[in-house]
Amino acid sequence: MTTIRGARERARVEVTAAIKDEARRQLAAEGASKLSLRAVARELGMVSSALYRYFPSRDDLLTALIVDAYDAVGAAAETALAAAPDPQDHPARWVALCSAVRSWALAHPHEYALIYGSPVPGYSAPMDTVGPASRVGLAMISIARDAHRADGIALPPLPEELRPEAHRLTATVAPDLPPAVVVALVSAWPQLFGLISFELFGQFNRVVEDRDDFFVHAAARIAHEVGLRGVRA
């Protein structure tokens, strides 16, 4: 029985992967709003009722694709951070992380569009997506945390009127960091994805030509705005 159960589990894993691969092909060809379980089943030679045993609805399939995409870009960021040659060079680690996110986006534009592009009409992301969606942000926070512990953060005081919101954000995002750092991090997050989205969706066409160097410079500027200065000798 164990052998039979193992074979069934392997078959289920393989069919699930095939369904998601075909769904990604549909995303590339038609866009997320036109994703259809019936069309996926047809392309795989399955009857719709069989596919529903794997994904009961279009939204369940979309959620699986979204979680996979968030996990993939999160893993790219974390791998880049772990591979940084100097753990004390916080600006360089920041740029490495940002560059890894950009490289993943350029290699997987349709999956990037699924998670950072226009919302899919009629779809509401469940809580299952929150953890995977947080991975890049948590990696960014980890750099700021390391720099803060090493006395490597340099930011001016926050304006008085922003302090209540800054303290609320800090309690939610990173209670162990100063509010000024948390505000800078929350501002940096959309700056990173705004840069990538402008490049990916064509807003930089006929504007920025040397995009690699431009991105590295922009990411370094964001690191400066977060207060990363490296470790003092």
Side-chain angles (χ1 to χ4, degrees):
M1 291 295 293
T2 302
T3 301
I4 294 173
R5 188 182 305 114
R8 287 175 178 170
E9 290 172 355
R10 287 194 297 273
R12 184 173 184 84
V13 169
E14 290 172 1
V15 174
T16 299
I19 292 169
K20 291 196 286 189
D21 286 344
E22 176 56 35
R24 291 187 186 99
R25 284 191 283 271
Q26 287 197 19
L27 287 180
E30 304 288 344
S33 62
K34 294 185 178 180
L35 181 64
S36 162
L37 290 184
R38 289 183 181 274
V40 171
R42 182 173 60 250
E43 291 298 321
L44 293 175
M46 300 173 64
V47 295
S48 298
S49 58
L51 191 145
Y52 293 142
R53 291 199 292 269
Y54 294 85
F55 296 100
S57 70
R58 180 209 69 160
D59 284 6
D60 290 306
L61 180 52
L62 270 176
T63 296
L65 298 176
I66 288 168
V67 167
D68 284 354
Y70 275 131
D71 276 334
V73 68
E78 292 159 3
T79 298
L81 200 53
D86 185 353
Q88 295 185 330
D89 189 345
H90 307 300
R93 295 171 71 213
W94 180 277
V95 172
L97 182 154
C98 293
S99 296
V101 172
R102 173 181 177 253
S103 294
W104 181 88
L106 294 177
H108 304 88
H110 302 293
E111 292 169 67
Y112 178 89
L114 177 64
I115 54 178
Y116 293 114
S118 300
V120 180
Y123 175 78
S124 180
M127 290 299 295
D128 296 359
T129 62
V130 173
S134 303
R135 289 177 66 172
V136 171
L138 290 174
M140 295 165 75
I141 289 170
S142 74
I143 298 174
R145 182 176 288 121
D146 291 344
H148 175 60
R149 288 172 177 167
D151 195 27
I153 294 279
L155 286 174
L158 291 170
E160 186 66 35
E161 61 272 17
L162 184 57
R163 289 180 184 176
E165 176 63 10
H167 284 286
R168 186 198 65 79
L169 278 173
T170 300
T172 302
V173 174
D176 58 326
L177 291 176
V181 175
V182 174
V183 168
L185 284 167
V186 173
S187 299
W189 197 5
Q191 289 182 67
L192 168 61
F193 288 105
L195 278 168
I196 295 171
S197 294
F198 262 52
E199 179 175 2
L200 203 61
F201 301 145
Q203 281 87 352
F204 280 160
N205 290 351
R206 292 179 293 192
V207 178
V208 179
E209 294 183 357
D210 186 353
R211 295 180 183 177
D212 292 344
D213 287 342
F214 180 86
F215 182 86
V216 168
H217 172 76
R221 287 299 308 166
I222 297 172
H224 183 82
E225 291 168 11
V226 170
L228 302 178
R229 306 289 191 271
V231 176
R232 295 172 185 169

